[in-house]
Amino acid sequence: MLSEDRQSGAIDNNAPTKITTWARLTQRLEENHEEFGPIKGDLTLTRIGLIWLAANLVVTTQLTGTLFVPGITWQLALSIVVAGSVTGGVVLILVGNMGTRTGLPTMSLTKGAFGLRGSYLAVAANIFILMGWSWVQAMLAGVTIDFLVSQVTGVSSPVLFSVLCQSLVVCLAIFGHEGISKVEPYLGMVILAAMAYIFGVAFSAHSIADYTALNVDPALGWRGTIVFDVVVATAISWTVLSAEFNRLAKSQTAGIVGCSVGYVLSTSLAMGLGATAIAYVLLEGGVAESFDPTVIVAAFGAPLAVVIVLSVMATNTLCIYGMVTSVINMTPNRNVRFLPTALMLGAISIIGSSWLALLNQFTEFLTLIGALFIPVFAIMIADYYIVHKGYYNHDILLGHGGKYWYRNGVNWPAIFVWIIAAACSFFLNYTAQSSIGATVPTFVMAFCLYVGLAVLSSRVVKQKPTSIHLSADT
């Protein structure tokens, strides 16, 4: 009977459908990816700590450390790095804890303060900033690899190596948070081992007394307060991803302690490595050219290049993941899928990594990050912990209406404070050239102004509600 059906052209509806390799890969990846909405985390304190440890051992943090010496003494630079990391880490931890308590990523949480539509501005700024970070870091990795390769072969193509590095990053990022939680700790361990070797070389060649005795060059224009401001600003720049990863923690304790230890330790080690490496170059009779990876790679060789390249792999994977989750959670549209979004943003990041001219604008890029996001996080923290007493309800998951619709989807007082505080940041950086920097003053002003407006408009919740994780009943 079956042979007669086949001969007559009949279709057997029970026959198994042939699935292509691409379809199987897509299905496998999508099964392990989160979509719109909250996630109930299951990562331990150790896992969260290792993710944050690997994340901020990145080349940009290392090279930031090279900016400080010999502008200030080596020992003062190290102490300020620790103090600034702890201070800035408070902002990072508070926003990250919002992710643990609600299950939402950072940009989804902006809906509570800015409104369901007002948050689009923060999301757009976040994608722009994370894309820029991924470009800069891929370029620095490409320049580092190119330096080593050109020494051996005489062939130089930094653009090619930058593109190859970012292509590998995109391949890692498409595996989502499960892939990140598995890969990041191992990258962190390899990076730490290479860093230990570099510190060993530096301190076996010269004593600590030699480093502390280095002469300061006042002409570089660095002061302790400005260094502190830069270190705090580094923590602020990382806060765009804090809830993304701390929402994966199984408890608030795991998120807070893991993030605190991982971030402060990684920043102190990375900036400390940069400051020590550039001091070593000076002690060896070299010239201190800050924010140039080839200078310190020339001094320490392949081990430092390994640190730089692997740190870019670890951090840029997080940047791509952060951009994707921002897009997916912008609106409750189930048609926006993780894999196609990751591939689209990944393609843009690969193309952009060839724009090496951006490296010449890095300082301006950092200033832009500070101006845009310091007020955002001040407003978020004030809104969640002070105005709403640590509670957002399920209305934050809506696309229209509800508690966080405010006026046509926008909380205009938050937008007003954001604009005023951002303008203040630009003024302090470029016009007033504040002796204490712009980060802390801008944050304090935005926080106080937003709370003040909330009090005047009677928006502050009087009775503290019971906090709930938003994955319940969704």
Side-chain angles (χ1 to χ4, degrees):
M1 184 68 180
L2 180 61
S3 60
E4 291 177 359
D5 287 342
R6 285 177 177 169
Q7 290 174 1
S8 62
I11 298 175
D12 183 2
N13 292 324
N14 295 320
T17 303
K18 184 177 181 181
I19 302 177
T20 65
T21 302
W22 170 253
R24 284 197 297 270
L25 175 62
T26 302
Q27 182 180 1
R28 176 72 178 88
L29 291 173
E30 290 289 358
E31 285 174 354
N32 293 322
H33 286 151
E34 61 275 14
E35 297 178 357
F36 173 86
I39 290 177
K40 183 62 177 175
D42 59 1
L43 297 186
T44 63
L45 185 156
T46 301
R47 277 285 182 178
I48 293 294
L50 288 173
I51 288 175
W52 278 107
L53 181 67
N56 208 34
L57 294 174
V58 69
V59 58
T60 46
T61 308
Q62 297 163 26
L63 294 181
T64 299
T66 68
L67 297 172
F68 307 147
V69 178
I72 61 174
T73 63
W74 173 77
Q75 62 272 28
L76 180 59
L78 296 187
S79 61
I80 292 176
V81 163
V82 175
S85 298
V86 172
T87 303
V90 172
V91 176
L92 181 125
I93 292 161
L94 286 173
V95 174
N97 192 48
M98 291 166 62
T100 308
R101 289 165 64 92
T102 62
L104 295 177
T106 309
M107 290 300 108
S108 284
L109 290 165
T110 61
K111 296 176 183 179
F114 291 88
L116 300 181
R117 286 179 174 170
S119 66
Y120 294 172
L121 292 172
V123 170
N126 182 52
I127 294 171
F128 171 76
I129 294 300
L130 287 178
M131 187 66 75
W133 269 123
S134 70
W135 289 349
V136 168
Q137 289 163 174
M139 293 170 199
L140 290 171
V143 168
T144 300
I145 296 174
D146 179 75
F147 175 75
L148 292 178
V149 172
S150 63
Q151 283 190 322
V152 176
T153 66
V155 177
S156 177
S157 181
V159 171
L160 173 63
F161 292 119
S162 298
V163 168
L164 289 176
C165 286
Q166 191 62 13
S167 298
L168 179 56
V169 163
V170 173
C171 291
L172 293 173
I174 63 175
F175 288 95
H177 77 267
E178 287 194 5
I180 289 171
S181 66
K182 293 176 182 177
V183 173
E184 292 285 323
Y186 295 107
L187 290 177
M189 293 299 101
V190 175
I191 294 169
L192 285 175
M195 290 177 73
Y197 169 81
I198 293 162
F199 278 118
V201 170
F203 290 117
S204 62
H206 301 280
S207 67
I208 292 179
D210 292 333
Y211 287 93
T212 59
L214 273 172
N215 292 325
V216 173
D217 184 359
L220 294 175
W222 286 98
R223 294 183 299 275
T225 53
I226 301 299
V227 172
F228 180 80
D229 188 75
V230 170
V231 178
V232 173
T234 299
I236 299 294
S237 71
W238 270 104
T239 305
V240 297
L241 293 172
S242 59
E244 259 82 352
F245 303 112
N246 279 24
R247 69 176 179 152
L248 305 178
K250 66 189 301 183
S251 67
Q252 291 187 63
T253 300
I256 292 172
V257 177
C259 178
S260 302
V261 175
Y263 176 79
V264 173
L265 182 60
S266 64
T267 304
S268 301
L269 285 173
M271 288 191 183
L273 177 71
T276 302
I278 203 69
Y280 173 85
V281 170
L282 290 170
L283 291 171
E284 290 290 298
V287 178
E289 295 185 24
S290 57
F291 221 85
D292 184 350
T294 63
V295 172
I296 53 178
V297 169
F300 291 96
L304 185 52
V306 169
V307 171
I308 290 174
V309 174
L310 289 184
S311 71
V312 170
M313 297 297 105
T315 304
N316 274 11
T317 301
L318 304 184
C319 286
I320 299 295
Y321 175 78
M323 286 188 281
V324 174
T325 56
S326 292
V327 172
I328 288 175
N329 286 279
M330 190 162 59
T331 61
N333 184 348
R334 302 289 178 176
N335 293 324
V336 181
R337 310 286 290 178
F338 187 99
L339 184 57
T341 306
L343 292 175
M344 179 189 68
L345 291 171
I348 296 172
S349 74
I350 292 170
I351 295 170
S353 65
S354 64
W355 182 29
L356 294 184
L358 180 61
L359 290 177
N360 297 326
Q361 308 297 323
F362 184 72
T363 303
E364 289 76 10
F365 179 63
L366 286 179
T367 302
L368 178 64
I369 292 174
L372 289 177
F373 278 104
I374 292 168
V376 168
F377 299 130
I379 292 167
M380 287 177 66
I381 291 171
D383 187 78
Y384 184 73
Y385 291 101
I386 305 298
V387 177
H388 286 99
K389 298 293 190 292
Y391 174 84
Y392 283 153
N393 66 29
H394 288 86
D395 284 358
I396 202 171
L397 303 176
L398 299 174
H400 188 280
K403 182 178 179 180
Y404 309 104
W405 186 244
Y406 297 108
R407 182 173 296 178
N408 294 320
V410 180
N411 183 16
W412 290 106
I415 301 297
F416 170 76
V417 172
W418 187 10
I419 293 172
I420 295 298
C424 173
S425 180
F426 280 117
F427 174 78
L428 291 174
N429 275 303
Y430 290 111
T431 303
Q433 295 183 340
S434 170
S435 61
I436 60 172
T439 302
V440 175
T442 300
F443 184 91
V444 171
M445 189 196 78
F447 183 91
C448 293
L449 183 57
Y450 185 80
V451 171
L453 291 175
V455 170
L456 290 175
S457 59
S458 301
R459 288 186 52 239
V460 179
V461 174
K462 292 182 173 58
Q463 186 174 358
K464 184 177 181 179
T466 302
S467 177
I468 59 171
H469 196 283
L470 297 180
S471 64
D473 300 324
T474 58

